[in-house]
Amino acid sequence: MNDKVEILQCLIANRVFAPSHSALAKELGYKGKMVIYRLMEEKAAERTVDEVWKRIQDCYIVSDTTLYNLARIFEGAKYMVDKLLPEMNQEHPQWVENLILAFVNDFYDCFSPAFQQEEVPFLKDLRKDEPEVFWGLVIMLYIRCKKIDFYHGNTKLNYCRLIEALDHLLFTLYPEKVDAHEVPFSLKALDAPNLYKAISNGIILFRCYTEVDFTENASRVMMLFDWGKRSYWHRPDCSYGPGSEIWLLVEQNFGRATNGYYMVLCLEAGKDIHTFELKDTLVFCFWTVDDEDEPPILQACRRSGAKREWCFYAYEYDDDECKFTWEANPKTGNLFGLPDTLQMINLEHPQGKDEKVWARILRMWGEQQGDAIFEKAKEMLSGWVEQGDEYKLTDVQISRNKITLAIDRQGEIVKYELPIKAYDFLSEINPSQSVSILKHTEDDEIYVGWTELGYAIRLAEFAIVE
């Protein structure tokens, strides 16, 4: 499919961007819906087709490739539904879930020989070569087989229910992927006013669960500045004193030089120069700017237990003065109470009396208390608490058949074993990779966690070796 008319007809007929012709026309800035009807009836002039195409791109911020792939997803789903329904036992209460799991597991042995011969090679190649199209197809199969009308009732509620259902399905298959299980909290906070956004956000969820390096690759949309590992910020001309605030930004870079995010600690000075209270903990994601006409955007997040809050800010950054100016999204307001302006404190070469005082105090605080406060902030953001004092991991052994952990429990070495076949990822790890014993604040359970890889397994699943 490469003709603009066919692509637009497919997307409009499937209500990809709006629930009706009139709603789409209104969003595109037309006074009436006749332009859309003429296009659907192939009565629109070529320049009108080009105009509708361009308005859709500008309105929904989509590329030529995205529009083409969306049409492939919807046409592919229509084709696949007809092929798959005869293959499934629709009397089974979980037949749709079983269908989706077959695609996720890349396991099609239960399908007919004809389907395996004619369709499976295409599906396998599509998953490898074009994962976004493949997972978009899977999501649309779920929506159609479940007979979900995305625009019926509250679209935000429908979207959240869709993400929750897909996450539940994936987490039952990948219970070790605790990092991916956190993603729906963020996705549900995003706007999804149409099928396009629901599908694109759902694709992110599937890729987080099924692709080991997806999170690292996704970090490329987030930008780092040349501030060093840790940087301190304050309101310009704010002198040190009890109650004054400092913002500590700690770089998280996924091993990349220019991409990642920042953990942010809001600290309040106490009554003496040794004391700072942790007032708030946030995550800052500075989006990369692909178009010079796009405003630079900061995406900020706060976590409290299972709850996530998101806020977006437009900003300007003066590189010479290392100074930010923020403007909150009017829809949310300044949810996190960021100052209008923040300026970095130059610890190495402070200028002026105030900055020299701040630099001396913060260097001393960082050396004496910084690491402890940072660990506390990490626990607040992640929901994971290190258990190194009670569970001291002394050795990790991995063979072809099992993984063995030696843990010091109050002076006694206890060995725990788990078969490699219990989780697919265990066959890919090695003893040199960082592993920790952690408690999850959500369920109060103890886990064995490979946090850099995004995996965690409950310690209770390991057998104690007598």
Side-chain angles (χ1 to χ4, degrees):
M1 179 182 292
N2 56 16
D3 184 82
K4 283 186 177 180
V5 173
E6 289 185 27
I7 292 173
L8 290 174
Q9 287 174 338
C10 172
L11 301 181
I12 294 169
N14 285 284
R15 305 187 297 166
V16 176
F17 296 110
S20 67
H21 291 6
S22 57
L24 178 61
K26 184 177 180 180
E27 290 190 13
L28 296 182
Y30 291 109
K31 293 181 179 180
K33 55 189 176 184
M34 290 310 298
V35 171
I36 305 300
Y37 277 105
R38 286 200 300 271
L39 191 152
M40 296 300 290
E41 296 169 2
E42 299 189 19
K43 296 179 180 179
E46 184 177 345
R47 70 169 183 268
T48 302
V49 174
D50 290 339
E51 180 187 271
V52 173
W53 183 276
K54 184 64 167 60
R55 289 196 184 197
I56 285 177
Q57 288 187 312
D58 292 342
C59 183
Y60 304 106
I61 315 176
V62 289
S63 64
D64 290 341
T65 301
T66 298
L67 293 176
Y68 173 63
N69 285 341
L70 281 170
R72 293 172 62 203
I73 287 169
F74 279 85
E75 288 297 309
K78 179 181 178 182
Y79 171 82
M80 275 295 167
V81 166
D82 292 338
K83 289 286 185 179
L84 288 165
L85 288 182
E87 301 276 343
M88 305 304 298
N89 174 15
Q90 297 178 49
E91 299 298 321
H92 192 287
Q94 298 291 312
W95 76 270
V96 179
E97 287 76 9
N98 292 337
L99 171 63
I100 301 305
L101 289 177
F103 280 80
V104 175
N105 285 320
D106 202 24
F107 184 79
Y108 303 99
D109 288 7
C110 59
F111 293 97
S112 68
F115 185 88
Q116 292 184 48
Q117 183 177 358
E118 296 171 9
E119 311 300 341
V120 168
F122 161 75
L123 292 171
K124 287 181 175 289
D125 287 348
L126 186 64
R127 177 171 180 167
K128 183 177 180 180
D129 298 336
E130 298 181 88
E132 292 206 353
V133 176
F134 178 83
W135 293 120
L137 173 64
V138 171
I139 293 167
M140 277 312 303
L141 286 175
Y142 181 86
I143 290 173
R144 288 190 169 170
C145 290
K146 283 288 187 179
K147 298 180 179 179
I148 297 171
D149 184 348
F150 183 79
Y151 296 108
H152 179 71
N154 187 320
T155 55
K156 176 67 174 180
L157 181 60
N158 293 340
Y159 163 68
C160 290
R161 285 174 174 171
L162 174 65
I163 294 297
E164 288 170 357
L166 295 176
D167 175 63
H168 176 75
L169 187 62
L170 290 163
F171 193 53
T172 58
L173 191 62
Y174 299 101
E176 75 280 11
K177 293 293 299 249
V178 291
D179 64 332
H181 191 46
E182 296 286 321
V183 171
F185 292 107
S186 303
L187 293 178
K188 289 190 292 183
L190 302 175
D191 287 334
N194 52 40
L195 261 178
Y196 160 62
K197 281 295 185 181
I199 292 169
S200 59
N201 291 342
I203 290 169
I204 292 172
L205 181 63
F206 272 95
R207 298 189 70 181
C208 283
Y209 270 105
T210 60
E211 298 177 28
V212 174
D213 57 352
F214 179 72
T215 300
E216 179 183 335
N217 290 334
S219 73
R220 296 178 186 182
V221 304
M222 299 180 289
M223 176 175 60
L224 294 176
F225 294 84
D226 189 21
W227 299 329
K229 184 66 176 177
R230 297 187 181 187
S231 57
Y232 294 90
W233 302 72
H234 69 148
R235 292 179 176 87
D237 304 321
C238 174
S239 302
Y240 168 77
S244 53
E245 288 183 347
I246 281 292
W247 300 75
L248 168 58
L249 272 61
V250 185
E251 179 184 291
Q252 308 293 306
N253 59 25
F254 299 103
R256 299 181 60 84
T258 57
N259 303 108
Y261 66 95
Y262 293 91
M263 286 183 58
V264 182
L265 286 64
C266 179
L267 307 167
E268 184 179 278
K271 295 181 179 180
D272 59 68
I273 61 174
H274 302 285
T275 305
F276 283 87
E277 177 188 354
L278 180 61
K279 285 187 61 181
D280 202 358
T281 308
L282 305 170
V283 168
F284 278 6
C285 300
F286 294 94
W287 291 1
T288 54
V289 180
D290 298 321
D291 188 332
E292 60 182 14
D293 294 328
E294 294 179 2
I297 298 295
L298 164 66
Q299 180 179 2
C301 173
R302 176 193 285 143
R303 169 179 176 156
S304 177
K307 183 181 179 182
R308 302 291 193 284
E309 293 179 299
W310 294 87
C311 192
F312 296 87
Y313 298 83
Y315 70 86
E316 291 184 3
Y317 179 60
D318 185 329
D319 191 39
D320 293 331
E321 295 190 18
C322 294
K323 183 188 294 185
F324 272 109
T325 303
W326 319 93
E327 183 178 347
N329 185 325
K331 290 184 178 179
T332 59
N334 190 0
L335 184 63
F336 300 145
L338 295 186
D340 293 336
T341 306
L342 280 177
Q343 187 167 24
M344 187 168 68
I345 296 171
N346 190 331
L347 295 187
E348 300 302 322
H349 305 287
Q351 302 295 317
K353 179 181 177 181
D354 285 339
E355 188 173 41
K356 289 179 180 178
V357 171
W358 274 119
R360 178 174 62 85
I361 292 172
L362 291 173
R363 278 198 300 266
M364 181 171 58
W365 177 83
E367 293 169 357
Q368 297 177 357
Q369 303 176 45
D371 288 343
I373 297 296
F374 179 62
E375 288 303 316
K376 180 181 177 181
K378 276 183 21 181
E379 292 173 2
M380 289 171 61
L381 277 174
S382 68
W384 294 98
V385 182
E386 293 274 358
Q387 299 294 297
D389 292 337
E390 188 175 348
Y391 296 82
K392 296 180 181 178
L393 186 61
T394 61
D395 193 21
V396 179
Q397 298 179 8
I398 301 175
S399 69
R400 285 189 174 184
N401 300 318
K402 63 187 177 182
I403 177 172
T404 304
L405 308 176
I407 298 177
D408 185 342
R409 298 286 309 276
Q410 298 178 338
E412 178 185 357
I413 301 298
V414 181
K415 290 191 175 182
Y416 296 82
E417 286 185 355
L418 185 70
I420 293 293
K421 64 181 181 181
Y423 293 96
D424 290 341
F425 83 92
L426 289 175
S427 62
E428 302 170 1
I429 65 171
N430 60 69
S432 65
Q433 289 169 322
S434 178
V435 57
S436 306
I437 308 299
L438 309 160
K439 182 168 72 173
H440 201 332
T441 57
E442 298 287 329
D443 57 17
D444 221 30
E445 291 264 10
I446 302 298
Y447 286 78
V448 180
W450 290 264
T451 53
E452 293 179 359
L453 302 176
Y455 296 116
I457 304 172
R458 287 186 303 129
L459 185 60
E461 296 185 38
F462 287 72
I464 297 179
V465 182
E466 299 294 341

